Amino acid sequence: AQRVTQPEKLLSVFKGAPVELKCNYSYSGSPELFWYVQYSRQRLQLLLRHISRESIKGFTADLNKGETSFHLKKPFAQEEDSAMYYCALSGRDFNKFYFGSGTKLNVKP
Amino acid sequence: GAGVSQSPSNKVTEKGKDVELRCDPISGHTALYWYRQSLGQGLEFLIYFQGNSAPDKSGLPSDRFSAERTGGSVSTLTIQRTQQEDSAVYLCASSFSREWGHTDTQYFGPGTRLTVL
């Protein structure tokens, strides 16, 4: 069965420190992986998707099929990065999106 | 243009009552999703509409939940005989398409916070 796991409910780092939000998935087909972000009092919005292979707001994520992971990374965290981050999985052979339980990132000054 | 809108923003109801939640997707978007976001949980998929195809209802938690999409646009999620465990934020999202093998970005609404007393 398809599943997305985000092991950390809360991640606190200091401003300027590197940050990595972990995401592991289970799916035997060709996955499409996404990171969505929800800032305080704002809507859930797409941050990045693996097929774009781009950096958004300094964040990157690499799909590692061998480790079935799609960790989100940023070398120097900023206070404005504080938000709730969700990893999501979709695939070529089903309509649904599977979301992880989310990780709350708190960047301290 | 306007984004996805949902109404009401907040709904408080008594156990056993029926509720209707509305979603207005972005104009022209053919795909529409409903999710439930419970405290401490991720987003739980409920139902998916794509164009005129039969909806994917596989995520609906019980037969008390139903949804329809009229004219390929507005959607209504109905919960009958509400229970306290139905309390959650219900999110709607739309995208331009969701053809097999191709995924478009989902645009989310602000959600409806449902509280069942």
Side-chain angles (χ1 to χ4, degrees):
Chain A
Q2 295 79 21
R3 181 184 290 273
V4 177
T5 302
Q6 292 181 250
E8 304 137 329
K9 286 189 180 295
L10 174 65
L11 185 62
S12 289
V13 301
F14 284 101
K15 175 183 173 181
V19 62
E20 180 180 68
L21 288 82
K22 291 185 167 49
C23 173
N24 288 90
Y25 67 91
S26 61
Y27 175 53
S28 57
S30 297
E32 297 189 52
L33 275 297
F34 307 80
W35 277 99
Y36 279 80
V37 60
Q38 189 167 28
Y39 300 102
S40 179
R41 290 184 292 277
Q42 293 188 28
R43 303 178 184 206
L44 196 62
Q45 59 186 287
L46 178 68
L47 179 62
L48 54 79
R49 51 196 300 176
H50 90 271
I51 61 172
S52 300
R53 304 183 69 82
E54 57 190 346
S55 173
I56 304 293
K57 299 184 179 182
F59 284 97
T60 59
D62 292 318
L63 178 61
N64 186 324
K65 292 187 178 181
E67 296 182 356
T68 59
S69 68
F70 188 58
H71 303 328
L72 184 68
K73 301 176 184 179
K74 184 169 183 176
F76 308 103
Q78 303 299 313
E79 289 181 69
E80 55 265 31
D81 296 329
S82 295
M84 194 74 176
Y85 291 80
Y86 292 94
C87 182
L89 163 75
S90 184
R92 292 179 178 273
D93 55 353
F94 57 92
N95 291 319
K96 302 175 189 177
F97 284 79
Y98 291 89
F99 282 81
S101 55
T103 297
K104 181 169 181 161
L105 175 64
N106 180 32
V107 181
K108 297 176 284 188
Chain B
V4 177
S5 61
Q6 292 185 246
S7 62
S9 56
N10 280 285
K11 177 71 177 179
V12 180
T13 190
E14 294 179 346
K15 178 182 173 181
K17 300 282 190 183
D18 298 350
V19 295
E20 284 190 351
L21 312 180
R22 177 187 169 107
C23 172
D24 284 87
I26 292 174
S27 178
H29 278 192
T30 57
L32 187 147
Y33 303 79
W34 281 99
Y35 296 92
R36 179 167 67 177
Q37 185 177 32
S38 304
L39 188 64
Q41 305 293 322
L43 273 70
E44 176 188 4
F45 167 83
L46 297 177
I47 189 169
Y48 160 73
F49 295 90
Q50 169 63 313
N52 295 321
S53 301
D56 179 348
K57 303 179 182 180
S58 58
L60 295 178
S62 78
D63 59 7
R64 295 187 295 106
F65 287 72
S66 62
E68 62 177 23
R69 188 178 185 191
T70 54
S73 181
V74 172
S75 177
T76 302
L77 177 69
T78 301
I79 309 174
Q80 296 178 309
R81 306 181 301 283
T82 52
Q83 303 296 312
Q84 289 183 332
E85 59 263 29
D86 299 334
S87 297
V89 175
Y90 289 82
L91 293 174
C92 174
S94 71
S95 67
F96 180 66
S97 71
R98 182 57 174 97
E99 304 297 338
W100 293 113
H102 177 69
T103 307
D104 275 308
T105 299
Q106 294 181 79
Y107 294 86
F108 282 83
T112 293
R113 182 176 296 278
L114 175 65
T115 303
V116 182
L117 302 177

